[in-house]
Amino acid sequence: MGFADELKNASAADWDAAVNHPFVDRLIDGSLEDEDLRRYLVQDYQFCDAFTALLGQAVASAPSLPSRLVFAKVLGAFASDENTYFQDSFDQLGVPEEDRLAPELGTATRSFDALMRSALDTRSYPDVLAVLLVAEWLYGDWAARAGDIATWPAAPKHADWIRLHNNPGYNAWVTWLRGEFDAVEPVSAEVRGRVAMTFREAVRLEREFFDAALESSPVH
């Protein structure tokens, strides 16, 4: 078993709860209320700065040019495709400029942003990868639940968020990221423990972030 699978299995309860969250259920079946999607996207957009910085740090700390080029390519795609989705959805959902750029941050948002910046400050490739891997792998897992594209919801605000995390390019990126993480498994017990803690905390916060998106929504 690789390091990535080992850490995922250690956080199985939170991982499975996030992947099978009611928020995801409603997104996939197209029943997600605009208010809940709006709340989620406004908060999620606030991660863009730290996430972009993490990708940049991965470029800087990767051990080889081929790895650097993978991160550079993903960084470019993130700056275009994903940002376009946010802006289009914000327009459709009527999100004002102040809520796009400087909303009141939820507890889970603040905690996840702090975790990303803490990993960034280490300038350690395994620490940076731990956060990136959770964010990308867990999203790939929930998006895979959508199944065949013919069954996806009709509304672009739902379907396009699935598509961004369920397509051949994205799936290949997650597979590559897992292999890269396994390849730099720390030898030092101290570093290994720190990376494992970062991974575990990222999974926990992913679950809490979905919880927060439905905090004002009735349970069905």
Side-chain angles (χ1 to χ4, degrees):
M1 180 185 298
F3 193 36
D5 284 325
E6 176 186 330
L7 297 188
K8 179 185 177 183
N9 289 344
S11 291
D14 281 333
W15 190 285
D16 292 343
V19 168
N20 297 289
H21 198 280
F23 178 91
V24 176
D25 294 341
R26 298 177 199 179
L27 176 69
I28 288 174
D29 69 18
S31 67
L32 187 65
E33 298 287 343
D34 281 356
E35 178 185 356
D36 296 328
L37 181 60
R38 183 184 190 280
R39 181 186 305 112
Y40 167 84
L41 291 179
V42 164
Q43 294 293 309
D44 195 78
Y45 190 63
Q46 307 316 304
F47 297 134
C48 289
D49 181 70
F51 192 80
T52 300
L54 276 175
L55 287 171
Q57 183 56 49
V59 172
S61 57
S64 67
L65 178 60
S67 293
R68 294 183 202 276
L69 292 176
V70 172
F71 288 113
K73 182 178 179 180
V74 171
L75 184 56
F78 179 75
S80 57
D81 295 345
E82 191 150 334
N83 189 65
T84 297
Y85 167 80
F86 276 113
Q87 298 307 322
D88 288 348
S89 296
F90 287 158
D91 289 344
Q92 183 178 354
L93 295 167
V95 178
E97 192 72 11
E98 60 268 26
D99 284 348
R100 303 183 191 199
L101 300 179
E104 181 178 353
L105 300 183
T107 301
T109 308
R110 291 195 303 271
S111 296
F112 211 133
D113 186 80
L115 182 68
M116 287 193 286
R117 295 186 188 282
S118 176
L120 183 62
D121 288 344
T122 68
R123 299 181 181 274
S124 159
Y125 194 49
D127 286 87
V128 168
L129 289 183
V131 181
L132 290 175
L133 179 58
V134 169
E136 302 292 66
W137 190 6
L138 191 149
Y139 267 55
D141 274 7
W142 74 247
R145 291 185 49 214
D148 189 272
I149 191 171
T151 67
W152 290 6
K157 61 190 175 186
H158 300 143
D160 287 349
W161 192 237
I162 297 170
R163 185 176 294 108
L164 281 169
H165 302 98
N166 182 358
N167 63 73
Y170 186 87
N171 297 336
W173 152 243
V174 172
T175 298
W176 179 86
L177 200 54
R178 289 171 59 185
E180 193 79 353
F181 187 67
D182 286 343
V184 296
E185 178 178 352
V187 175
S188 161
E190 178 183 354
V191 176
R192 183 187 180 90
R194 185 183 71 217
V195 171
M197 182 174 66
T198 296
F199 188 103
R200 182 170 60 251
E201 183 69 358
V203 176
R204 185 184 70 81
L205 290 171
E206 288 285 10
R207 178 182 183 175
E208 288 192 2
F209 191 72
F210 282 139
D211 288 342
L214 297 181
E215 63 184 3
S216 300
S217 183
V219 177
H220 296 301

